[in-house]
Amino acid sequence: MDVCAPKIAVLGLGNLLFKDEGLGVVAMHYLRHNFRFSAALDFVDGGTLGINLLDYFHDYSHLLILDSLSTPSAEPGAVFRLPLTALQNLGDYRKTAHEIELLQALDMARLLGLNFELEVVAMIPQDIESVTFVLSEPVQAAMPLMADTAREVLANWGVQTHPIAQPLSAAKIAAHHHP
């Protein structure tokens, strides 16, 4: 491995037990299963690690976080690419515990002087309260857009991606990656 190559992790966040709340974890698996990459990447199910995410902030030079985003200003399935500063300015729109814990972990990383590049690709969920592993229709339909947005971030970091011949749907991936 090239010692100058960035060390990149793709972290999927959220709780798979609560429908769309776990869409970040499904998106991480969707990306991992449906594409080949020109560089070594680590794919991490960050679930609801919260403050324990600090270990990843310490170990990687580049972090791509895939997550849900609670905001009333967009429709379910809308996908956003957020720099760290935009995430920190969401104010009261944060609804889930892991959204708040992510920001606390990022604040601690800053206080510790950790230096890494971070981008968040987030999707608006439709339902984060129902107890089921099945994603909502708008979230399933928007999963290719979320993957393409994540691929744009990886391309900016020098990683080329290539789709596989027979990709798996978000529904199939969600069905196979729950506890």
Side-chain angles (χ1 to χ4, degrees):
M1 182 175 165
D2 183 355
V3 293
C4 295
K7 190 171 179 186
I8 301 173
V10 178
L11 288 105
L13 301 184
N15 189 335
L16 291 169
L17 295 173
F18 295 103
K19 202 169 177 89
D20 296 341
E21 218 276 335
L23 71 86
V25 175
V26 175
M28 180 273 299
H29 287 297
Y30 185 92
L31 193 64
R32 182 172 62 94
H33 284 290
N34 290 329
F35 297 92
R36 300 290 173 251
F37 304 91
S38 66
L41 306 177
D42 288 334
F43 291 89
V44 179
D45 178 347
T48 55
L49 285 176
I51 203 69
N52 292 321
L53 289 169
L54 268 175
D55 291 338
Y56 297 102
F57 299 161
H58 186 269
D59 292 342
Y60 291 91
S61 63
H62 293 69
L63 294 160
L64 170 57
I65 293 179
L66 306 175
D67 201 359
S68 60
L69 174 66
S70 301
T71 177
S73 61
E75 295 295 318
V79 174
F80 296 90
R81 182 174 168 181
L82 303 167
L84 178 58
T85 53
L87 189 67
Q88 291 172 323
N89 293 326
L90 290 176
D92 293 335
Y93 293 131
R94 296 171 298 205
K95 287 186 177 176
T96 66
H98 83 264
E99 287 175 325
I100 294 167
E101 291 171 344
L102 169 62
L103 295 178
Q104 290 172 336
L106 290 170
D107 285 343
M108 289 189 73
R110 187 184 50 185
L111 290 173
L112 292 170
L114 299 179
N115 188 19
F116 55 88
E117 196 163 324
L118 181 137
E119 287 246 11
V120 176
V121 174
M123 184 190 303
I124 306 299
Q126 183 176 59
D127 180 351
I128 60 171
E129 295 177 358
S130 297
V131 179
T132 178
F133 296 110
V134 179
L135 297 172
S136 69
E137 285 296 323
V139 167
Q140 287 183 42
M143 198 58 69
L145 174 61
M146 188 165 188
D148 287 345
T149 306
R151 292 170 63 207
E152 290 172 9
V153 173
L154 293 172
N156 286 345
W157 293 346
V159 177
Q160 301 304 310
T161 59
H162 307 282
I164 65 169
Q166 296 179 330
L168 296 175
S169 69
K172 283 188 177 179
I173 288 173
H176 288 93
H177 290 286
H178 58 75

